[in-house]
Amino acid sequence: MSKTTTDDSHRAADDTSKAADDQDLGAAGSQLSTAPTEDAPNLPSLGVIGWARWFWRQLTSMRVALLLLLLLSLGAIPGSLIPQTGIDETAVADFRERHDVLAPLYDKLGLFHVYSSVWFSAIYILLFVSLIGCIVPRTWQFVGQLRGRPPGAPRRLTRLPAHTTWRTEAEPEAVREAALALLKKRRFRAHLAGDAVAAEKGYLREVGNLLFHIALIVMLIAFGWGQLFKSEGNKLIVEGDGFANTLTQYDDFKSGSLFTNDDLEPFSFDVKEFTGTYERTGPNKGTPRTYQSELTYTEGADGKEKTALVKVNKPLEIGDAKVYLVSHGYAPVITVRDGKGKIVYRDAVPLLPLDANVTSSGVVKVLDGYRNPGGEKEQLGFNAFFVPTFGGSAAGTMLSQFPALDYPVLALSAYHGDLKADSGIPQSVYQMDKTKMKEFKDAEGELFKKLLTPGETMTLPDGAGSVTFEKDVREWAGFQIVQEPGGGWALGGAVAAIAGLAGSLFIQRRRVWVRAVRGEDGVTVVEMAGLGRSESAKVPEELGDLAGILYDRAPAAPDPSPDPTDSTDTATDPEAVPAEGAEK
Amino acid sequence: MTLAAATDLAAAANENLAEISNVLVYSAMAVYTLAFFAYIAEWTFGSRSKVARTAAALSPKAGAEARKAPAVTVQQAGGTAVLERPKVVVRAATGSRDVPDGPGAHGGDEKGDLYGRIAVSLTVLAFCLSFGGVLTRALSVERAPWGNMYEFNITFSTTAVGVYLLLLALKKDIRWLGLFLTTTVLLDLGLAVTVLYTESDQLVPALHSYWLYIHVSTAILCGAVFYVGAVGVILYLFKDAYENKLAGGGKPGSFATSVLERLPAAASLDKFSYRVNAAVFPLWTFTIIAGAIWAGDAWGRYWGWDPKEVWSFITWVAYACYLHARATAGWKGRKAAYLALLAFGCWLFNYYGVNIFVSGKHSYADVGLSALGSVGF
Ligand code: HEM
């Protein structure tokens, strides 16, 4: 019984001294990072303000930041698996058609536009509120640390993760002086506090960390700004034609919710020439070697004319706008004559490519001016199929063999009637509404169609006229014109984020203390200890280095036996394990 | 010589190179297999004599001792010639287990060590072969060797082994990684040559940019390093469970003991994987940004939530989660380790899952306008 009591009291005494020690150590390690301390989520007792404060505390805690980050990554997943309107409208339409139960549900949840949905926005807005709530106090705290001084040495340096000690005949003041000079020379912030020198280094870690988190906010704002004011449109232009940057000129156009037409950068350009050359042999046969378009452009309403070369990965930048070359194809020049030989149509008809070798298709529409042999007004339509390099009739395929104009062949099939162009519904220039069109028939009663090489003419049946494939195949280039403000800020933020991250992850923030006091026997005892934010091999290494230099200036005194400092050491650490197993 | 003959010759040269590349990749697999057996020999013949110490330190009685005496003495090798330098005493943070690292796969045994050295030599040879395979493949297609999954796979495993050998060359004590690495490298290459093999072919124009070289090469490097980190994390989880069991007085199976005893302490494995992951995280950030810049030049927007972009982002956030967890009370240790595995899972899915199950701009096919019309031919 009595034995238990002594045991207990012993343990209690142990506990108090340990608690004091821990407190002492806690102070030494305090604010080695400006990370918020985690307090247990105790519920507030007081009214609205109490709750608000509690909520704010929670929101800005590391734990909640962690959960919000997890939520953000989880929330991003559906957007990659479900078709998104912002990426592929047709895939969404397709999905709607196939899933009549799921689709309305998805609509309700915003799953067709995850990244602009309410719930996804809520996650990242909360995260960024949390981030700001985290950054502001940490910045103040850090400024405070920069103005203050590293905390003084804890009572027992031997309890720190790395320490060393020796006895020397040098005076304690001299040792401290030498230590202070040494640490300062090593670019520590050092000062004398009582019987010890306190020093700290690696503040750039905190700078880097704050920079990184602030850069994240800059990037988010820049990205959001860009999305709101963004505009994006496509325009297909045949060589020789031009474009002015106004809404009406686009083939299709999309814009962010705060975009207004006045935001369009004023400029215009003409396409002088498109050049495409292709690899002739080898595994890369058919790959574009040059793929570029020569433009002349003017900035503003009446700027000076300049020339530019636009390539696939090299857009033309005009103000906030970028002009991308995104596609290319052929536009054969076609002449249509009526039965009397009068030209009713002559134009370069842009055709859309179907494959990498630019097998192309499209439609020729003769809307006005044609009268059939009976003298009635009619419209003509031709389905066109074009290959720049025909495989020859023996090849048995109408697919192009090579993307360049080696052996161009145009195939046409002919219709007449009403193209319904004035029905008020906007029509694609690449498609023909055949509901009111009749086929021209050949001798066998089949659809009238023919293969033409440049210069050839096909005569329509029954004196209906003729169609000529001129010896002039132009090329067209498809341009995407994008205006997305804030790109510079996003890039700047990104660079700052990487720099900050590198600082935050590669720089060690650590403290070193050097205590020199006269021992009981009058000989000076030097104690050195190091403390890092995490246990890193660097801290003991650096400490050893510093100790080595200091030791040279304050060499060991002859050991009295038994050594007093050593004995305290062995008292706490009776079984020092040899270095072999130590961390590398 | 006619033009046609010259082009035929060039094509033949390319085909030859592709052929050589295949032979090199197969040879590399053969040598990796030998290395694999050598590593097995290292583990098998390595004695357990020196290993017992770990177990002893963790047995219930000795465990209490170890906690009371958590000191490891390190003799610092200083710059000057003073022999009697003061010793730096290193101790573990309060509250953490203090277990010395195991001796490595060879178990401190000379014969085991010899097999280990042979294994590393074979690994170096296999690395050279597979590096040659990647190089000749690149020459045969006249571009960077990462236009499809086959090429990506062979480059990936070459890089992962390269990272391992580099760490060894830097005198990091990580030979124990060798067995796990060669196993997975063999799986990876096996997958590459059977399922994923693609004849050398061309790239679409959008893939022509020096940002491609920067973006994809760093992506592969990051993947390789993340992989090494993930192996560390998995071993940490096993070792940690093992140490817990020992400290709680349990008795792990003899196979588990034989393997886990030789590995570094759980704390060291944890630190190793943290360092590896943390060191490469800025590079991963850069990879994503380089990708965004490339997308900005090639597709007219720098960020468009394409599936590949989404999963890179998810991976990035998941690793940020892991780094945060390490700084958050209550999340250190095993929970953080699970997060690291989750993050690597995201990386894997980004590579295999997205390429196979999800279609997007990164599917490296049909760029440009899709056909709107079709004709009755
Ligand atoms: C947008 C989301 C965020 C990302 C991507 C992010 C990422 C990171 C990264 C990569 C680190 C480096 C980890 C390290 O030093 O070991 C870090 C550290 C840190 N983050 Fe965040 N963070 C985010 C949001 C937040 C928020 C909301 C808070 C506030 C609660 C926060 C607080 C911290 C703190 C205190 C550290 C330093 C931890 C330390 O010193 O070890 N972060 N963060």
Side-chain angles (χ1 to χ4, degrees), chain B residues 37 39 89 134 143 217 237 262 303 320 327 358 374:
Chain B
F37 285 119
Y39 283 119
V89 178
V134 171
R143 58 170 165 75
S217 59
L237 284 172
R262 309 188 210 181
W303 192 266
V358 190
S374 59

Side-chain angles (χ1 to χ4, degrees), chain A residues 428-446:
Chain A
S428 162
V429 293
Y430 308 105
Q431 271 171 313
M432 174 157 57
D433 182 344
K434 287 192 206 138
T435 48
K436 290 269 178 78
M437 297 295 282
K438 287 194 291 273
E439 296 178 350
F440 280 103
K441 302 285 186 192
D442 61 14
E444 278 93 52
E446 298 285 317

Side-chain angles (χ1 to χ4, degrees), chain A residues 1-20 22, chain B residues 64 68:
Chain A
M1 185 67 205
S2 64
K3 189 170 185 301
T4 334
T5 331
T6 44
D7 254 19
D8 276 355
S9 61
H10 184 73
R11 194 179 303 145
D14 235 27
D15 279 356
T16 44
S17 86
K18 192 169 169 294
D22 284 350
Chain B
K68 226 167 57 181

Side-chain angles (χ1 to χ4, degrees), chain A residues 386-453:
Chain A
F386 175 81
V387 291
T389 301
F390 187 48
S393 39
T397 170
M398 192 50 203
L399 292 180
S400 172
Q401 307 298 307
F402 195 70
L405 278 179
D406 288 354
Y407 182 3
V409 166
L410 178 68
L412 291 174
S413 56
Y415 300 81
H416 62 108
D418 180 3
L419 288 165
K420 291 176 71 179
D422 350 292
S423 61
I425 304 162
Q427 268 194 338
S428 162
V429 293
Y430 308 105
Q431 271 171 313
M432 174 157 57
D433 182 344
K434 287 192 206 138
T435 48
K436 290 269 178 78
M437 297 295 282
K438 287 194 291 273
E439 296 178 350
F440 280 103
K441 302 285 186 192
D442 61 14
E444 278 93 52
E446 298 285 317
L447 172 64
F448 183 83
K449 54 191 178 186
K450 246 196 164 77
L451 295 187
L452 303 174
T453 52

